[in-house]
C-alpha cells in the first residue's frame, strides 16, 4: 500500500516510556544472571512496581522524544515511571492479536454536517457498439471492459474462451513480469462455465459478468493461499473470501490469479522475486500494487483490484500507464483484506480506461455497512457515462506545474484539460507540516505487525534496507503516544482544510502532477478519492524504451462520478490509453 521510492523525511522518533522499557529489560536480564548490580538500576521505590530508573536514562530518551525536563522532574519520574512500564508489559503478555482485529476506533472522512443522501439511480454506461470481436486473441486481451462486456453479453465470445486467453497469457508472460503469485485456474474455469450457462439462459448479472480479473494477494480467498507477498505468510490459506472477492463473484466476474505485491504492501519486492514493468523489464512497476498494475497493463487480466495506503494505486498506475481509481475511504469494504493502517487503507480498481474503473467500483461499492470492516460506509454511487464534464471547475496551483516533479507532459495535459470545456481555477494550500501525518501510518503499521518485530520474523523478509518495513516497524516503537494523538488532531484540521478548500474555491475536483506538493499524503489521510490516468509517454534516455506517464485528479468525498466524468473527457482528448507495451 506504499509506493516504491516514496521520500520519507527524517523524523525525531521515540518515547521515554518505550526507551525506558528497553533499559529495564536489559537491567532485569543482567540481574538474573549476575549478582553485580546494574548501573542502570537506581534506588528501589516504595511501591512494588519494579526498580527505579536512573534519571540519566530519562534524559537520553528526551532527546529522542523531542522534549526537555528539569533534573528535579527526572528524579521524580525515576521512582514512578516503572509503574507505567509494567502497565505496558502487562499488555504485552496478551497473545498476539490477529491482523483482522481493528482498534476500537474508526476514521470517518465525513465532517459534522456533511450529508451524502441524494437519491440513488443505477449507473448508466456507454452504449456504443465496439464492433465485431477481433480475430486476434491479443487484441481481445487488451480490449477495455466496455468492449469485453458487450461481446460477452451478445455471445460473440464465451467466458470460458476469454478466461483461457488470459490464463495462457498469465502462464507465458506472467513469469517474465514476476507478477503472479498464485494462478486460480480451477476456480476460474468453474466460474467461467457458470457465467456462460447464466448468460445463455438470459441471466445477465451486469457489465462484469464473465470477465476475468486478478486480485492483489492481500485479499483473502477461501482455500487458496493469500500470502501478503511476505515470507512469513507464504503458506497462509484463509477459510473465507474477502468481501470484495465475494462481491465480484456475485457480479459474475472470474478470478484468474492472485497478483504480486511488495511484501506487506510496500515496494515491488516479494518472496518470489521482483515484479517488472511490462514497458521496460529492467524497471520495476513501483509498488505496492505492482502485480495488478503490471498484469492489467500487459493484458493478462480484464481488470484488477489494488490497494492504497499512501500511493500504492497511484504510483504503479503512473509507472505502468493503467487507470487507477482510489475510492473515498469507507466506500469499499476491506473485510478480509490485510490491514496495514486501519484508518488509511483503501481498495480500488486498476483498469485500462476510466469508464472501466467506474464499472468495477459499481460492483464493489458498499450497499450496506460491512460488519467485517467497522469503517465501511454505505453511500450511493451515481454515474452516467453520457453526462458531460463541460462547465465543471477544476482547481490547480500553478506552482505545482512549474518545477519537479512536474514535466512538460504535465503542463501539456493541463492545457489540454482547459480545452475540454472544464473551467480551471487557481487554488493554494496552506503551508503546513503535512509529513507529520505519517506518524499515523508508521504507528498503525508497526502495531499491525508487532508479532513480526517481537519474534524476529521480520528478519526473514527479503528487503532489509533502511527504508524497508522491518526497520520502520522497529523505530516506530519509539514514537511517543502523545505524538500519535496529536497527529490525529492535526488530521482533523487537514480534513477541515480540504472541505473549506472545495467550498471556498467552488471547485468540483483538483488536478496535479501525481506526486506534487504533499497531496498524496494529504488526500490519503483525509480520505478523498483520486483518479490516475495515462497522459502520454516519456523516455529517460536514448537506450531506454518509452514508458507511460500519467496525472492525478482528486475529487470531493464520495464524488467519484464527477472525477471520472472529467477523466473521461481528458482520456478522449488525449487518445493515448490504448497503446500497448511492445515487450509483451
Amino acid at each position: 500500500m506504499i509506493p516504491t521510492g516514496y521520500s520519507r523525511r527524517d523524523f525525531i522518533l521515540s518515547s521515554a516510556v518505550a526507551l525506558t522499557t528497553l533499559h529495564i529489560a536489559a537491567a532485569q536480564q543482567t540481574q538474573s544472571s549476575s549478582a553485580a548490580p546494574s548501573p542502570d538500576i537506581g534506588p528501589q521505590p516504595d511501591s512494588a512496581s519494579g526498580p527505579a530508573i536512573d534519571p540519566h536514562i530519562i534524559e537520553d530518551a528526551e532527546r529522542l522524544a523531542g522534549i526537555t525536563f528539569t533534573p528535579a522532574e527526572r528524579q521524580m519520574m525515576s521512582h514512578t515511571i516503572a509503574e507505567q512500564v509494567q502497565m505496558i508489559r502487562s499488555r504485552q503478555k496478551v497473545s498476539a492479536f490477529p491482523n483482522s482485529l481493528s482498534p476500537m476506533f474508526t476514521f470517518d472522512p465525513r465532517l459534522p454536517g456533511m450529508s451524502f443522501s441524494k437519491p440513488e439511480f443505477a449507473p448508466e454506461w456507454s452504449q456504443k457498439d465496439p464492433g465485431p470481436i477481433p480475430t486476434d486473441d491479443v487484441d481481445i486481451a487488451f480490449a477495455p471492459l466496455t468492449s469485453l462486456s458487450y461481446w460477452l453479453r451478445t455471445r460473440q465470445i464465451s467466458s470460458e474462451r476469454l478466461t483461457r486467453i488470459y490464463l495462457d497469457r498469465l502462464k507465458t508472460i506472467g513469469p517474465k513480469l514476476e507478477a503472479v503469485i498464485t494462478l486460480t485456474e480451477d476456480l476460474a474455469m468453474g466460474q467461467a462455465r457458470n457465467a456462460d450457462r447464466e448468460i445463455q439462459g438470459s441471466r445477465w448479472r451486469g457489465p462484469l459478468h464473465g470477465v476475468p480479473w486478478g486480485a492483489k494477494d492481500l485479499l483473502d480467498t477461501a482455500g487458496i493461499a493469500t500470502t501478503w507477498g511476505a515470507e512469513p505468510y507464504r503458506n497462509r490459506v484463509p477459510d473465507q473470501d474477502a468481501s470484495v472477492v465475494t462481491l465480484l463473484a456475485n457480479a459474475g466476474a472470474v478470478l484468474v490469479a492472485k497478483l504480486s505485491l511488495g511484501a506487506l504492501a510496500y515496494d515491488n519486492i516479494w518472496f518470489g522475486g521482483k515484479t517488472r514493468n511490462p514497458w521496460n523489464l529492467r524497471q520495476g512497476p513501483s509498488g505496492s500494487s505492482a502485480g495488478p498494475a503490471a498484469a492489467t497493463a500487459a493484458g493478462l487480466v480484464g481488470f484488477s483490484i489494488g490497494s492504497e495506503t499512501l500511493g500504492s494505486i497511484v504510483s504503479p498506475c503512473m509507472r505502468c500507464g493503467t487507470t487507477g481509481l482510489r475510492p473515498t475511504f469507507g466506500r469499499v469494504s476491506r473485510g478480509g483484506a490485510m490491514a496495514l493502517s486501519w484508518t488509511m487503507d483503501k481498495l480500488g480498481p486498476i483498469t485500462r480506461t476510466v469508464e472501466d474503473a467506474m464499472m468495477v467500483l459499481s460492483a464493489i461499492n458498499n450497499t450496506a455497512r460491512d460488519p467485517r470492516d467497522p469503517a465501511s460506509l454505505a453511500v450511493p454511487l451515481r454515474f452516467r457515462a453520457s453526462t458531460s464534464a463541460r462547465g465543471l471547475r477544476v482547481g490547480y496551483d500553478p506552482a505545482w506545474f512549474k518545477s519537479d516533479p512536474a514535466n512538460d507532459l504535465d503542463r501539456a495535459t493541463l492545457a489540454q484539460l482547459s480545452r475540454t470545456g472544464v473551467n480551471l481555477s487557481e487554488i493554494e494550500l496552506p503551508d503546513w507540516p503535512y509529513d507529520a501525518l505519517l506518524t499515523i501510518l508508521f504507528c498503525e503499521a508497526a502495531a499491525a505487525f508487532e508479532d513480526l518485530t517481537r519474534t524476529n520474523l521480520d528478519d526473514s523478509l527479503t528487503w532489509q534496507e533502511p527504508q524497508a518495513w522491518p526497520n520502520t516497524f522497529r523505530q516506530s516503537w519509539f514514537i511517543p503516544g502523545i505524538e500519535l494523538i496529536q497527529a490525529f488532531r492535526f488530521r482533523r484540521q487537514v480534513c477541515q482544510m480540504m472541505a473549506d478548500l472545495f467550498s471556498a474555491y467552488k471547485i468540483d475536483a483538483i488536478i496535479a502532477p501525481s506526486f506534487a506538493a504533499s497531496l498524496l499524503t494529504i488526500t490519503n489521510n483525509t480520505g478523498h478519492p483520486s483518479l490516475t490516468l495515462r497522459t502520454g509517454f516519456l523516455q529517460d534516455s536514448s537506450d531506454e524504451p518509452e514508458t507511460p506517464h500519467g496525472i492525478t485528479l482528486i475529487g470531493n468525498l464520495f464524488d467519484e462520478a464527477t472525477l471520472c466524468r472529467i477523466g473521461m473527457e481528458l482520456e478522449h482528448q488525449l487518445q493515448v490509453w490504448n497503446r500497448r507495451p511492445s515487450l509483451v
Side-chain angles (χ1 to χ4, degrees):
M1 302 178 187
I2 307 297
T4 306
Y6 186 80
S7 176
R8 294 176 175 175
R9 299 180 185 175
D10 292 335
F11 280 82
I12 301 174
L13 301 176
S14 192
S15 71
V17 172
L19 186 62
T20 302
T21 303
L22 297 179
H23 280 287
I24 287 181
Q28 289 178 337
Q29 184 176 8
T30 303
Q31 278 189 315
S32 64
S33 60
S34 172
S38 165
D40 288 345
I41 303 296
Q44 293 293 311
D46 295 334
S47 71
S49 62
I53 306 303
D54 190 297
H56 290 99
I57 297 174
I58 298 174
E59 185 176 10
D60 289 340
E62 290 169 21
R63 293 198 294 272
L64 296 174
I67 194 167
T68 303
F69 299 114
T70 67
E73 289 168 337
R74 293 182 198 118
Q75 186 64 41
M76 183 178 292
M77 277 190 287
S78 72
H79 290 277
T80 57
I81 201 169
E83 298 174 8
Q84 193 162 309
V85 173
Q86 288 298 104
M87 176 183 67
I88 294 172
R89 301 190 90 179
S90 67
R91 196 282 305 167
Q92 293 167 358
K93 294 176 182 177
V94 178
S95 59
F97 300 132
N99 180 266
S100 58
L101 182 67
S102 61
M104 195 59 185
F105 61 82
T106 57
F107 172 68
D108 188 333
R110 301 171 300 180
L111 291 166
M114 286 185 173
S115 175
F116 301 94
S117 57
K118 296 178 182 178
E120 184 176 4
F121 55 82
E124 297 177 5
W125 313 111
S126 298
Q127 301 298 316
K128 290 191 301 183
D129 182 344
I133 190 166
T135 56
D136 188 341
D137 285 355
V138 176
D139 292 335
I140 296 172
F142 278 97
L145 285 182
T146 47
S147 298
L148 294 176
S149 178
Y150 181 87
W151 294 328
L152 284 161
R153 181 168 55 85
T154 56
R155 304 183 196 175
Q156 296 183 52
I157 190 172
S158 67
S159 178
E160 183 172 352
R161 181 190 166 200
L162 184 59
T163 299
R164 290 194 185 279
I165 289 173
Y166 283 125
L167 284 171
D168 287 345
R169 293 179 66 80
L170 284 161
K171 291 175 183 177
T172 56
I173 299 172
K176 297 179 186 178
L177 301 178
E178 298 183 45
V180 181
I181 295 183
T182 304
L183 274 179
T184 58
E185 185 168 5
D186 291 343
L187 172 66
M189 295 311 300
Q191 289 181 329
R193 290 172 184 140
N194 185 63
D196 287 335
R197 284 191 296 270
E198 292 184 335
I199 294 170
Q200 289 166 10
S202 298
R203 184 186 178 191
W204 178 243
R205 291 177 180 254
L208 303 187
H209 201 173
V211 178
W213 69 286
K216 186 174 180 177
D217 199 31
L218 51 60
L219 292 173
D220 280 354
T221 41
I224 298 172
T226 302
T227 70
W228 304 347
E231 289 81 351
Y233 305 102
R234 62 187 306 169
N235 297 316
R236 179 182 175 275
V237 180
D239 57 9
Q240 184 179 6
D241 284 338
S243 298
V244 161
V245 174
T246 299
L247 288 171
L248 288 172
N250 292 341
V254 175
L255 178 60
V256 289
K258 305 296 293 295
L259 301 172
S260 63
L261 68 156
L264 306 181
Y266 186 16
D267 196 65
N268 49 43
I269 301 170
W270 56 288
F271 64 80
K274 181 175 181 177
T275 307
R276 306 291 170 181
N277 183 357
W279 298 88
N280 182 353
L281 296 181
R282 294 193 295 270
Q283 183 185 76
S286 186
S288 67
S289 300
T296 304
L300 309 189
V301 291
F303 68 92
S304 57
I305 298 295
S307 69
E308 172 154 326
T309 307
L310 191 65
S312 288
I313 289 176
V314 171
S315 188
C317 286
M318 281 281 293
R319 184 72 60 84
C320 295
T322 47
T323 300
L325 178 55
R326 185 191 75 208
T328 304
F329 181 87
R331 181 180 280 285
V332 177
S333 171
R334 302 159 306 167
M338 185 204 86
L340 182 67
S341 172
W342 295 279
T343 70
M344 292 179 66
D345 297 343
K346 297 157 287 282
L347 302 175
I350 294 177
T351 59
R352 287 184 275 275
T353 71
V354 176
E355 187 174 359
D356 287 1
M358 281 301 292
M359 281 184 168
V360 178
L361 182 60
S362 178
I364 62 176
N365 179 56
N366 299 326
T367 56
R369 300 191 74 159
D370 183 355
R372 301 175 67 190
D373 179 2
S376 62
L377 299 167
V379 179
L381 181 67
R382 297 166 292 273
F383 178 73
R384 287 192 173 108
S386 60
T387 303
S388 171
R390 182 172 296 275
L392 294 176
R393 292 174 62 85
V394 178
Y396 77 104
D397 186 335
W400 298 341
F401 290 85
K402 290 180 179 177
S403 58
D404 287 341
N407 55 42
D408 288 342
L409 195 53
D410 294 323
R411 289 182 277 273
T413 301
L414 182 67
Q416 189 70 45
L417 180 62
S418 68
R419 291 191 283 270
T420 67
V422 168
N423 298 315
L424 293 177
S425 177
E426 292 189 14
I427 63 173
E428 186 176 0
L429 295 173
D431 184 16
W432 290 353
Y434 299 108
D435 278 357
L437 294 169
L438 295 178
T439 300
I440 296 168
L441 167 59
F442 294 162
C443 286
E444 292 191 15
F449 293 101
E450 174 188 3
D451 58 323
L452 290 189
T453 305
R454 287 192 175 279
T455 61
N456 293 321
L457 282 173
D458 56 351
D459 293 338
S460 68
L461 296 175
T462 300
W463 193 28
Q464 293 287 334
E465 299 294 330
Q467 70 270 31
W469 274 145
N471 187 58
T472 300
F473 291 164
R474 294 168 197 142
Q475 73 178 31
S476 295
W477 278 87
F478 302 110
I479 297 176
I482 292 169
E483 287 299 329
L484 176 60
I485 299 300
Q486 300 297 53
F488 272 109
R489 297 175 74 190
F490 178 45
R491 187 179 192 176
R492 179 175 289 275
Q493 280 189 314
V494 176
C495 287
Q496 186 64 62
M497 177 275 291
M498 286 293 288
D500 293 344
L501 185 81
F502 273 86
S503 176
Y505 288 102
K506 295 181 173 59
I507 54 175
D508 300 291
I510 295 169
I511 188 170
S514 295
F515 305 116
S518 297
L519 285 169
L520 199 66
T521 300
I522 292 169
T523 58
N524 270 290
N525 276 275
T526 60
H528 284 76
S530 75
L531 175 72
T532 300
L533 68 154
R534 185 191 301 180
T535 57
F537 294 84
L538 299 172
Q539 191 167 21
D540 292 336
S541 61
S542 59
D543 61 342
E544 291 285 337
E546 284 189 324
T547 53
H549 182 72
I551 205 160
T552 294
L553 295 160
I554 297 160
N556 215 333
L557 295 175
F558 298 102
D559 196 10
E560 292 85 354
T562 296
L563 198 60
C564 288
R565 284 164 54 198
I566 298 168
M568 287 177 67
E569 292 278 2
L570 194 53
E571 182 180 76
H572 177 73
Q573 291 289 329
L574 296 171
Q575 288 296 310
V576 294
W577 72 266
N578 56 356
R579 179 171 161 184
R580 307 172 190 170
S582 60
L583 298 178
V584 295

